[in-house]
């Protein structure tokens, strides 16, 4: 493999997320609808005499301060320990997705590496690969195939869904803070756990029909504990909703927090509206980016 192989690593959104209970092993079960955006990191691999990772992009410095992309390193170690013959790799990573923001950036990068290895026939996408991925990151398995999926249990039980017919635009935004996922889950009390039923067939019907208001209304029960820890998230969501309903009219479809935060997103029917909202949030010193959901 003397030529470079490149993969885009799309940011993940939890269009809704409901934690259902805490397991005996300390992890939590959940139900979520995952979607992915055109906004992405970019990973490249090429054979080398020894492993190396070169970082670039807006968040390269932050990633270096955090110790580098440990998910990629862990994946290589786990795959080789499991018997997969993967040669030393020269890896480049353009880091554009904010760290620790609920957009699955680290998992997206790890999944990009797995997709590259699959395309090069070094590994196959099997249950064993999903298990290895899930041992390293809860979102890693869902990111291997960046398309609409239902996530259940700890997030590793996945059901692919058919995408909507129409393009949906979105604005990603972050109050430029980094939240700790374990801290957010620790603030979720038992009374806030979801006890309802969300049938995959009904979610598919909503998605196919583009009933985004109903999808977002299912909610994210990590939002309240995240806002309690970081009130800036509530300010961001309020600003999205106010500007969307007052300035963008029917193009504004709703907003929510993704994952355990701090990143939020708004869904919009037109690119013009998405660009307008992103510029508005940028003027308020929020990190923001106008993009669209992808089908896969």
């Amino acid at each position: 493999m003397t030529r470079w192989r490149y993969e885009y690593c799309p940011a993940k959104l939890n269009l809704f997320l409901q934690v259902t209970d805490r397991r005996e092993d300390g992890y939590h079960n959940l139900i979520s609808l995952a979607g992915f955006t055109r906004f992405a990191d970019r990973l490249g691999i090429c054979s080398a005499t020894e492993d190396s990772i070169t970082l670039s992009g807006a968040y390269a410095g932050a990633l270096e301060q955090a110790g580098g992309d440990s998910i990629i390193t862990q994946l290589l170690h786990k795959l080789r320990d499991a018997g997969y013959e993967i040669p030393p790799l020269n890896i480049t990573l353009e880091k554009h997705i904010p760290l620790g923001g609920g957009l699955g950036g680290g998992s997206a990068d790890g999944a990009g590496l797995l997709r590259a290895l699959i395309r090069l026939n070094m590994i196959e996408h099997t249950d064993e690969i999903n298990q290895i991925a899930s041992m390293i990151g809860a979102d890693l398995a869902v990111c291997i195939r960046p398309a609409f999926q239902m996530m259940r249990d700890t997030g590793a039980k996945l059901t692919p869904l058919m995408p909507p017919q129409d393009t949906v635009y979105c604005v990603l935004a972050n109050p430029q803070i980094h939240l700790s996922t374990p801290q957010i889950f620790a603030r979720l009390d038992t009374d806030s756990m979801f006890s309802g039923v969300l049938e995959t067939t009904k979610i598919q019907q909503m998605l196919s029909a583009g009933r985004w208001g109903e999808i977002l209304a299912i909610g994210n029960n990590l939002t309240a504990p995240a806002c309690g820890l970081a009130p800036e998230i509530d300010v961001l969501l309020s600003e999205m909703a106010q500007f969307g309903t007052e300035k963008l009219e029917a193009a504004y479809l709703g907003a929510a927090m993704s994952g355990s935060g701090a990143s939020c997103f708004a869904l919009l029917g037109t690119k013009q509206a998405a660009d307008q909202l992103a510029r508005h949030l940028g003027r308020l010193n929020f990190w923001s980016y106008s993009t669209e959901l992808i089908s896969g």
Side-chain angles (χ1 to χ4, degrees):
M1 184 183 61
T2 58
R3 299 178 62 183
W4 284 90
R5 172 80 205 189
Y6 292 98
E7 289 287 337
Y8 284 98
C9 311
K12 175 191 65 67
L13 296 181
N14 297 97
L15 296 163
F16 66 75
L17 189 157
Q18 290 291 338
V19 180
T20 58
D21 61 277
R22 188 175 188 274
R23 297 154 52 103
E24 291 184 1
D25 60 9
Y27 291 95
H28 290 77
N29 288 319
L30 56 84
I31 306 173
S32 181
L33 172 59
F36 292 82
T37 76
R38 198 165 296 283
F39 176 66
D41 291 340
R42 186 171 183 257
L43 178 137
I45 67 170
C46 182
S47 59
T49 56
E50 61 181 9
D51 287 335
S52 66
I53 300 179
T54 303
L55 303 175
S56 62
Y59 286 92
L63 188 56
E64 287 174 346
Q65 290 180 3
D69 200 315
S70 61
I71 286 183
I72 288 176
T73 303
Q74 290 179 60
L75 262 178
L76 287 174
H77 287 319
K78 290 284 187 184
L79 291 170
R80 288 164 179 159
D81 288 345
Y84 293 96
E85 296 182 1
I86 299 171
L89 296 175
N90 187 358
I91 299 173
T92 63
L93 179 63
E94 295 177 18
K95 191 63 186 170
H96 304 292
I97 302 173
L99 274 63
L103 298 177
S107 294
D109 300 339
L113 173 63
L114 290 175
R115 282 196 305 277
L117 297 175
I118 290 167
R119 295 185 204 279
L120 291 166
N121 297 316
M122 293 185 183
I123 62 174
E124 294 182 5
H125 190 187
T126 61
D127 288 341
E128 182 182 35
I129 292 298
N130 281 344
Q131 290 171 4
I132 291 173
S134 297
M135 290 169 57
I136 297 172
D139 285 340
L140 229 168
V142 74
C143 290
I144 296 175
R145 290 176 174 163
F148 293 100
Q149 298 172 73
M150 284 290 291
M151 305 170 64
R152 295 184 185 272
D153 294 345
T154 58
K157 184 178 179 182
L158 305 171
T159 305
L161 300 181
M162 293 295 294
Q165 293 183 351
D166 297 328
T167 300
V168 177
Y169 299 89
C170 66
V171 172
L172 308 178
N174 187 294
Q176 304 195 60
I177 57 176
H178 178 186
L179 290 182
S180 164
T181 297
Q183 281 187 315
I184 300 303
F185 273 92
R187 295 172 68 95
L188 183 68
D189 58 52
T190 304
D191 293 338
S192 300
M193 301 286 187
F194 181 76
S195 58
V197 177
L198 292 172
E199 297 179 1
T200 300
T201 53
K202 290 186 178 179
I203 301 302
Q204 178 65 82
Q205 290 169 1
M206 293 181 194
L207 185 61
S208 298
R211 287 153 40 195
W212 297 105
E214 293 178 46
I215 289 172
L216 296 178
I218 295 171
N220 179 344
N221 59 0
L222 294 177
T223 304
C227 289
L229 196 62
E232 299 95 328
I233 298 172
D234 192 33
V235 173
L236 172 56
L237 288 169
S238 297
E239 194 62 44
M240 282 178 156
Q242 182 175 351
F243 188 86
T245 54
E246 293 181 0
K247 303 293 185 180
L248 304 177
E249 299 179 347
Y252 176 75
L253 304 174
M257 187 183 81
S258 182
S260 58
S263 292
C264 301
F265 64 92
L267 302 183
L268 302 112
T270 69
K271 183 179 185 302
Q272 181 182 12
D275 291 346
Q276 190 176 347
L277 177 57
R279 287 193 297 268
H280 171 71
L281 295 174
R283 287 192 292 266
L284 298 177
N285 294 320
F286 292 110
W287 172 87
S288 61
Y289 193 91
S290 175
T291 184
E292 64 185 67
L293 300 183
I294 58 175
S295 298

